[in-house]
Amino acid sequence: MENINNVTEFILLGLSQNKTIKSLCFLLFLFCYIAIWMGNLLIIISITCSQLIGQPMYFFLNYLAFSDLCYTSTVRPKLLTDLLEERTRISYVSCMAQLFSMHVFGGVEIFILTIMAYDRYVAICKPLRYTVIMNRRRCYVLVFACCTGAFLHSFMQCLLTINLPFCGPNEIDHYFCNVYPLLKLACTDTYSVGILVVANSGMMGLVNFVVLMLSYFLILYTVRVYPAKSHSKALSTCSSHISVVVILFVPVLYVYIRPAVTFPEDKVFALFFTIIAPMFNPLIYTLRNLEMKNAMRKFGCGCIV
């Protein structure tokens, strides 16, 4: 049967219909958005303008901060404007574009976090071969692989969604165009599509999460025999990375690893990977990192001079 699409726009129901709550959310999310831009831009500038850019860990951190900015900007500006409006609409084309861009930059962030875990594994478990294994050419290849993998993931996600027929209700019970609420609106059986979505998004998140945890387990197992100073430094680095992984991956796995159904609390969990994780990444990676603090201090002194 030929797909019929009579829907040209969707209505986003958002987080709440209460005007007071929407006003409070606007102020809170505006502050968070400014904090995300300031924190991640500071990381990018501090790394780029210092010798840290030559170290693989900070090379990848630079791209992580950039992907955070791009990822949150696919949702946050639209969310802020919607909180000020009575009825929030998004065109079909804009909805598909938002879905695609979210999964591209979200995929890049997930893959880069996995590469950063691999980088720490090589640095701590194979220190004598670190400079050979993580040379600059390989770092660029890994970043390119992250972008390619994220693009393919997002392309498949959108391909599954864009072929669905929408011919009835157009209200999305969310504050952005997410795949599960869209499956709920499709006027066809979406069971097989839902399975493919879980295989695409859910399994990608789960596999990367397992690889990340395995990498950090091997690191912790290796450093148990190290001297106290080296042991504490490795633990400090790994603990900051694990904090980022937990904040990002637990909500992602909750939303995408289960069958294609929607729950009211999905919107709350989505706040973690669209707002909270990009905002806390700069704090987690800088407050416990002496090299980053020194680089920021030098950048600040240079601006004052």
Side-chain angles (χ1 to χ4, degrees), residues 290-302:
L290 183 61
E291 291 178 314
M292 274 301 305
K293 285 193 269 190
N294 289 336
M296 289 181 174
R297 194 176 296 114
K298 289 178 182 178
F299 170 72
C301 293

Side-chain angles (χ1 to χ4, degrees), residues 207-219:
V207 169
N208 279 276
F209 181 71
V210 170
V211 171
L212 280 160
M213 290 295 100
L214 181 61
S215 298
Y216 290 123
F217 173 78
L218 292 174
I219 290 172

